[in-house]
Amino acid sequence: MDIFEIAPEEARARQLRGALLVDVREAHERASGQASESLGIAKDDLEADPDRYLPDRGTEILLICQGGARSMRAARVLADAGYTNLASVAGGTTRWIAEALPVVKPELDGDRRDFNERYSRHLLLPEVGEAGQLRLQASRVLVIGAGGLGSPAAFYLAAAGVGRLRIADDDLVDRSNLQRQILHTEARIGEPKVASAQATLSALNPRTDIEAVAERVTSANIERLLEGVDLVLDGADNFPVRYLLNDACVKLGIPLVYGAVQRFEGQVSVFDAGRQRGQAPCYRCLFPEPPAPEFAPNCSEAGVLGVLPGVIGLLQATEAIKLLLGIGEPLRGRLLHFDALAMRFRDLRLRPDPDCVVCAAGKAFPGYIDYQRFCGHRPE
Ligand SMILES: [Zn+2]
């Protein structure tokens, strides 16, 4: 069946004589205005179940979108579904408005308006769009540490609309943190870092649910912390937690976005061995054994340029958002190294170790170990 294209003015005249005008754009597109008395039904919804929205197949149905192409495609789908009296509005809503035909702004409830306005720049990206934004909203990320890496990462994950952030840290805000741990403030020195993080993040995006866990991460609580989590962002500043986190993520099949900083350099990777046994490496494939403590000073011993964890934490947040959305090429099997003084990035290929004690294909989980002892730390 041929689909007729009609001018907006003709569509308006037919609408007034009883034809049904259907706007097939997405809800966020219709929010800025749609043709008066038109019915808003997104194209995918309409095509999936036309009987739910439309009267019988002989009714005169006029379809409109933004520029006229999408409505034409929807009309063809409806024609194939047996609708016999269809037309598409040439030039769409853009031309409808240019010709000064009547427009209404749909009444949105407050929540919907907040969503549309807050995430408008994401909604404009076809790679994110409404479906991606809803996916972010439905996801839960565990951030280990509300320190140098966790601060910028959690800041942007909350801004981006990740629905639930579980943040684990047992530390208190100290004045020496404020040079880089941007979630915290002068006034909150001495408060638990997770409470400070919760205050900042909730002020930024009240839609994000912050689960503040003021606990040290140990073998005893790691699986509880990982429950219901889509991915983990590692902002730990010590090796025992890093190995524990790696082992638990391999065991439970949860992707781990790793980051580390020291002085003027940092590194980032995505370890996804739990879901891709024998295909993707884990942290232990890269570092089967920790360095001796005297060769692995942390920031409080070796110092760190304040902006450096900002760069690395945001690279981690970028990878986290890509993984949650399922877009782009994740930093899986690659170690990105950043040198701030040279302003240089290097990308090293990582291979899974076929003899890795934790992630080798077909290997049963060996169990959690004494990570403090493994890393040469005396028990505290
Ligand atoms: Zn491994």
Side-chain angles (χ1 to χ4, degrees):
M1 172 187 152
D2 281 339
I3 310 291
F4 292 103
E5 267 204 307
I6 56 175
E9 203 175 347
E10 170 67 15
R12 179 64 181 163
R14 291 195 196 183
Q15 190 191 18
L16 293 174
R17 291 199 299 266
L20 179 64
L21 181 62
V22 180
D23 188 331
V24 298
R25 294 175 301 161
E26 301 290 323
H28 67 269
E29 296 176 276
R30 296 194 305 268
S32 57
Q34 70 183 66
S36 283
E37 293 122 53
S38 62
L39 193 61
I41 309 165
K43 179 172 176 289
D44 287 350
D45 296 337
L46 180 65
E47 291 176 358
D49 190 6
D51 288 327
R52 186 174 154 200
Y53 304 104
L54 303 179
D56 67 86
R57 285 172 160 66
T59 308
E60 183 176 16
I61 295 164
L62 314 174
L63 299 170
I64 188 167
C65 60
Q66 190 66 48
R70 235 182 309 170
S71 56
M72 186 53 114
R73 291 198 298 275
R76 290 206 185 92
V77 172
L78 291 180
D80 289 343
Y83 290 84
T84 55
N85 195 352
L86 295 160
S88 171
V89 178
T93 304
T94 303
R95 186 168 157 197
W96 180 285
I97 291 171
E99 296 186 1
L101 291 163
V103 174
V104 289
K105 286 199 178 187
E107 280 294 317
L108 295 176
D109 63 53
D111 180 71
R112 183 70 220 191
R113 194 176 316 119
D114 179 278
F115 180 92
N116 287 348
E117 290 175 5
R118 183 178 299 274
Y119 304 126
S120 65
R121 302 304 188 271
H122 267 171
L123 298 174
L124 288 168
L125 297 170
E127 293 80 357
V128 183
E130 181 160 332
Q133 196 64 51
L134 290 172
R135 205 160 160 178
L136 291 178
Q137 188 165 279
S139 55
R140 177 185 270 136
V141 170
L142 172 64
V143 177
I144 299 291
L149 296 170
S151 280
F155 228 137
Y156 270 90
L157 291 177
V162 169
R164 281 167 297 183
L165 283 179
R166 184 176 292 160
I167 306 177
D169 197 315
D170 71 334
D171 216 356
L172 305 178
V173 178
D174 183 88
R175 183 167 281 113
S176 68
N177 301 149
L178 302 179
Q179 166 245 27
R180 64 201 178 284
Q181 301 184 14
I182 57 170
L183 286 175
H184 312 305
T185 64
E186 176 77 17
R188 298 204 285 258
I189 289 172
E191 287 183 22
K193 281 189 180 176
V194 287
S196 170
Q198 184 163 39
T200 301
L201 297 171
S202 300
L204 172 65
N205 188 351
R207 301 182 71 92
T208 295
D209 181 24
I210 309 296
E211 303 169 56
V213 186
E215 292 176 32
R216 170 172 296 233
V217 180
T218 66
S219 312
N221 67 6
I222 186 66
E223 296 203 0
R224 174 164 52 81
L225 288 171
L226 285 168
E227 197 161 346
V229 155
D230 297 292
L231 69 83
V232 183
L233 193 140
D234 173 15
D237 63 352
N238 66 83
F239 286 93
V241 168
R242 194 163 284 155
Y243 279 94
L244 165 63
L245 203 52
N246 178 72
D247 295 358
C249 285
V250 172
K251 179 186 176 192
L252 301 172
I254 297 173
L256 172 64
V257 183
Y258 156 76
V261 289
Q262 198 185 90
R263 292 166 54 80
F264 299 98
E265 293 172 44
Q267 46 189 234
V268 190
S269 190
V270 170
F271 296 115
D272 208 355
R275 295 192 302 180
Q276 302 190 356
R277 286 298 183 102
Q279 307 293 311
C282 79
Y283 181 73
R284 280 181 187 260
C285 297
L286 178 60
F287 299 112
E289 285 176 22
E294 58 270 32
F295 295 113
N298 62 27
C299 293
S300 64
E301 294 153 357
V304 65
L305 190 69
V307 293
L308 183 72
V311 174
I312 299 298
L314 288 193
L315 290 172
Q316 290 179 274
T318 308
E319 286 304 299
I321 287 172
K322 282 164 55 190
L323 285 166
L324 294 173
L325 291 172
I327 60 173
E329 191 189 332
L331 205 52
R332 200 180 274 146
R334 287 151 65 205
L335 181 71
L336 187 66
H337 176 267
F338 174 58
D339 178 342
L341 290 182
M343 195 46 80
R344 213 160 257 147
F345 286 93
R346 266 185 307 143
D347 191 348
L348 307 171
R349 193 145 288 283
L350 302 178
R351 288 181 204 293
D353 176 358
D355 299 318
C356 178
V357 296
V358 174
C359 81
K363 189 155 201 125
F365 183 66
Y368 299 115
I369 57 171
D370 182 338
Y371 293 90
Q372 294 286 344
R373 175 171 302 184
F374 177 61
C375 295
H377 293 253
R378 253 170 279 144
E380 288 170 50

